[in-house]
Amino acid sequence: MNGKDKSGYQSLSTGEVLITGENGVSLNGNEKTALTHFAPRLGIAYQADPKTVIRTGYGRSYDVGVFGVSFGHNVTQNLPVLANQSLNPANPWLAVFTLNQGPPSLDPTTILASQPKGSTGNPILPNGSS
């Protein structure tokens, strides 16, 4: 999360999409971070000859990466930051768009703007979204 409207996550209690910087949601997603977390790193490199370098390292992290993380990945890979666009031609043999013109633009924030609002004024996640 690095700014207003740059991330969002669904509140399981209300079904609303909470967007950073909107309706009382702080830029840290209203989460408190303990500054006592210790995540040391150590790296070693050895150059055996001009064409061979051996490197090794160890690190402790609180972010498990793109796959499996339930907080950091979700807030940047969902509405309002990212949306999937599915285009279907009127007939199977017709093109949806040409490479010259490209697909129609899609602004993920407009998807949420058109949604009904929940009890705290935040948009409800659209059906079919996760």
Side-chain angles (χ1 to χ4, degrees), residues 44-100:
I44 300 170
Y46 172 74
Q47 184 174 7
D49 60 57
K51 293 185 176 184
T52 305
V53 177
I54 300 168
R55 294 184 173 96
T56 187
Y58 171 81
R60 169 74 185 192
S61 176
Y62 290 96
D63 182 7
V64 295
V66 173
F67 302 104
V69 71
S70 61
F71 184 72
H73 181 68
N74 285 345
V75 297
T76 59
Q77 301 299 311
N78 289 313
L79 295 169
V81 180
L82 180 70
N84 292 325
Q85 185 177 28
S86 179
L87 304 172
N88 297 307
N91 292 303
W93 59 86
L94 295 175
V96 177
F97 59 86
T98 66
L99 293 178
N100 188 33

Side-chain angles (χ1 to χ4, degrees), residues 3-83:
K4 184 178 184 302
D5 300 331
K6 300 283 185 186
S7 62
Y9 57 96
Q10 184 179 19
S11 168
L12 297 179
S13 61
T14 65
E16 298 173 334
V17 178
L18 305 178
I19 303 168
T20 55
E22 300 287 340
N23 295 330
V25 179
S26 64
L27 295 182
N28 66 353
N30 294 346
E31 295 294 325
K32 296 193 187 304
T33 302
L35 300 177
T36 58
H37 293 304
F38 184 63
R41 308 278 191 281
L42 175 67
I44 300 170
Y46 172 74
Q47 184 174 7
D49 60 57
K51 293 185 176 184
T52 305
V53 177
I54 300 168
R55 294 184 173 96
T56 187
Y58 171 81
R60 169 74 185 192
S61 176
Y62 290 96
D63 182 7
V64 295
V66 173
F67 302 104
V69 71
S70 61
F71 184 72
H73 181 68
N74 285 345
V75 297
T76 59
Q77 301 299 311
N78 289 313
L79 295 169
V81 180
L82 180 70

